[in-house]
Amino acid sequence: MRLLAIDVGNTRTKTALWEGGLRKEWDHMPVDMALASVTGEMPDWKQALPQAEVAVLTAETPLPIRVDYRTPGTLGADRKAAACGAWALAKGKNCVVIDAGTCITIDLLDSDGIYQGGAILPGLRMKFDALNTFTARLPLLNIADGLAMPADELTGKSTEESMAVGVLAATRLEVEAFVKRYRELYGSVEVIVTGGDAETIAPASAIIEKDLVLIGLKEIAESMIRKSENRTL
């Protein structure tokens, strides 16, 4: 079985191929199944991947977890896939799933495999853009320009440093507060962080897995295959 997972985000697209249980780089050869999570613009699959028939993760796609969400049709495919990936990694533990991308999502998956929902926060780039866009004098800062501040630094000594503290340190504190509250409610929780800004905002002792959505797509696809095989027995 050659399984292709495709993560179409707001800024980039990532792929991973699984064959015989092993992950490989996709060789652009035909696959038995392709499953995509689409957060950004929907690709023209026939042009982008003429070698594969691509299934897109929707609200109707069966999952290896249960979803307790009042509006399941609006739940982002990336959040569902990341939760399924976290379920595979957490091995039955309560899990906080953090995706630090264009937006930051913080979700809870309990030890029964039930996705309980979560929060959507502005991402780092969005916050820096807002400070520049909605003020007359604040500059547009870029995380790539050496803005990383020590995790415990709360006193910027210049306008740029104060902005960095206001975005980077404040976001870390937001994330830590969510994790602390979940631990108060659920006891021990595993924290798994993904996304382009994972290293910047991850709490101490968190697991960083950049390909969590791709792992989740693999878990969903394999669950779909098992259910299909059981129906034919």
Side-chain angles (χ1 to χ4, degrees):
M1 167 66 72
R2 285 168 55 84
L3 169 62
L4 180 66
I6 310 163
D7 176 13
V8 182
N10 287 303
T11 57
R12 59 180 179 148
T13 296
K14 299 167 65 178
T15 63
L17 176 71
W18 274 270
E19 184 174 9
L22 299 176
R23 179 173 174 174
K24 304 178 179 180
E25 292 298 321
W26 184 37
D27 52 14
H28 294 275
M29 297 298 290
V31 297
D32 298 296
M33 182 177 184
L35 182 63
S37 164
V38 180
T39 304
E41 184 176 349
M42 184 69 72
D44 180 347
W45 295 116
K46 290 185 178 180
Q47 180 178 351
L49 295 170
Q51 309 92 333
E53 188 73 27
V54 180
V56 177
L57 184 59
T58 69
E60 286 71 42
T61 304
L63 304 175
I65 63 173
R66 287 179 286 165
V67 174
D68 184 7
Y69 204 69
R70 192 157 46 246
T71 57
T74 69
L75 181 59
D78 55 339
R79 293 174 76 185
K80 288 188 289 189
C84 291
W87 178 241
L89 297 180
K91 301 185 184 303
K93 300 177 183 176
N94 294 316
C95 184
V96 177
V97 188
I98 302 169
D99 191 341
T102 303
C103 291
I104 297 172
T105 56
I106 306 175
D107 294 316
L108 180 84
L109 184 69
D110 70 20
S111 59
D112 293 319
I114 302 174
Y115 172 86
Q116 296 286 356
I120 302 174
L121 291 67
L124 300 181
R125 177 74 272 155
M126 197 180 296
K127 290 180 178 180
F128 280 122
D129 286 348
L131 286 172
N132 172 253
T133 299
F134 296 107
T135 64
R137 298 181 183 276
L138 292 181
L140 178 61
L141 301 187
N142 193 314
I143 299 172
D145 295 338
L147 289 177
M149 302 286 288
D152 58 352
E153 180 60 72
L154 300 179
T155 51
K157 301 298 185 182
S158 68
T159 297
E160 288 79 4
E161 285 187 2
S162 297
M163 292 172 65
V165 168
V167 172
L168 300 179
T171 301
R172 292 181 189 123
L173 290 170
E174 286 177 323
V175 170
E176 289 169 0
F178 270 95
V179 172
K180 179 181 178 182
R181 182 57 176 152
Y182 280 134
R183 284 180 171 145
E184 291 171 352
L185 294 172
Y186 288 86
S188 176
V189 297
E190 195 82 74
V191 181
I192 301 178
V193 189
T194 191
D197 293 326
E199 286 92 349
T200 304
I201 61 97
S205 75
I207 297 171
I208 297 177
E209 176 50 73
K210 287 294 192 70
D211 292 333
L212 190 63
V213 171
L214 293 174
I215 293 170
L217 289 170
K218 168 187 173 289
E219 295 296 318
I220 295 167
E222 290 179 343
S223 175
M224 293 168 64
I225 292 168
R226 287 193 298 269
K227 290 177 181 178
S228 176
E229 289 174 345
N230 289 337
R231 285 196 297 267
T232 61
L233 294 178

